[in-house]
Amino acid sequence: KKASAALDDGTPVEFASHVVNEDRAAGATLSHEVSKRFGREGLPDGTIKVHFKGSAGQSFGCFLAPGIDFLLQGDANDYVGKGLSGGRVVVRKSDASTLVPSENIIVGNVCLYGATAGEAYFHGMAAERFAVRNSGAKAVVEGVGDHGMEYMTGGVVCILGDVGRNAFAGMSGGWGFVWDPKGSLADKANMDTCDLEPLVIDEDV
């Protein structure tokens, strides 16, 4: 109901909501309504903005359609942004948290599984199998667990921290950018299916 104006005629709306870990697949029904009314092109960027607080359940922001922004202050379970289809997901720690984002997991396993388009920004680390089978989404995260970017065919992932073992296994497309001040990426990446190159000129960045 809070998004009805946007669904009726594309009027931008913005509202807040609380979320708990029993709330699963948040965004799926809303994305269905957007796709049903506006097709695969969805709505203009940022037409529907929802500000969440709490700990989201599995599949937060799944299948999020173009024009929808889900902005969560808190943390989330597995499968954040599963099947992301053009929307935007942002997860940042709560104001009360004293945890260091680059050292703590803020989203669970298998985030961005099968994502095809859209953006995701995580102010903290992701657990295992981040961006598996991503084919078009762009993401920024502070670190990932084992098997990250497995079977990626497209999209861009920027990792501003540690990477777990077997990174980029089976990757056949897309780009992964990793901040690697310790020089340990070569020991963790699956070198059978990826090439590692430094960014050495301004055009690379």
Side-chain angles (χ1 to χ4, degrees):
K1 291 182 179 180
K2 293 180 179 179
S4 58
L7 295 173
D8 289 341
D9 57 18
T11 299
V13 298
E14 188 168 1
F15 55 92
S17 181
H18 187 69
V19 66
V20 298
N21 62 7
E22 292 180 343
D23 296 324
R24 301 179 183 91
T29 301
L30 178 59
S31 293
H32 165 72
E33 292 297 332
V34 168
S35 298
K36 182 171 67 174
R37 302 180 193 211
F38 300 98
R40 67 181 299 174
E41 298 302 319
L43 290 162
D45 187 44
T47 300
I48 302 174
K49 291 186 178 181
V50 189
H51 299 267
F52 293 92
K53 285 188 177 182
S55 294
Q58 288 188 353
S59 301
F60 176 79
C62 64
F63 312 116
L64 216 57
I68 305 175
D69 290 359
F70 270 19
L71 314 169
L72 171 62
Q73 186 179 1
D75 53 45
N77 213 305
D78 299 341
Y79 293 106
V80 174
K82 177 177 66 177
L84 188 68
S85 300
R88 181 180 293 113
V89 179
V90 179
V91 183
R92 66 182 181 91
K93 69 174 187 175
S94 68
D95 290 337
S97 174
T98 59
L99 298 176
V100 178
S102 61
E103 299 175 357
N104 289 275
I105 291 174
I106 197 169
V107 290
N109 297 309
V110 206
C111 295
L112 300 178
Y113 176 83
T116 59
E119 301 174 5
Y121 303 96
F122 303 119
H123 189 209
M125 299 178 67
E128 295 186 3
R129 289 195 153 86
F130 183 79
V132 170
R133 299 193 184 279
N134 174 31
S135 62
K138 299 176 181 178
V140 180
V141 64
E142 303 246 0
V144 301
D146 295 344
H147 313 294
M149 294 67 65
E150 196 173 32
Y151 305 122
M152 261 182 62
T153 60
V156 179
V157 173
C158 180
I159 303 167
L160 306 176
D162 288 337
V163 173
R165 64 185 177 88
N166 200 38
F168 308 109
M171 185 176 178
S172 60
W175 293 89
F177 297 92
V178 181
W179 183 56
D180 184 32
K182 300 176 184 177
S184 61
L185 181 59
D187 295 328
K188 298 177 179 179
N190 188 315
M191 300 303 295
D192 292 334
T193 55
C194 72
D195 295 319
L196 301 182
E197 296 182 3
L199 298 180
V200 295
I201 57 177
D202 291 342
E203 285 78 5
D204 287 337
V205 179

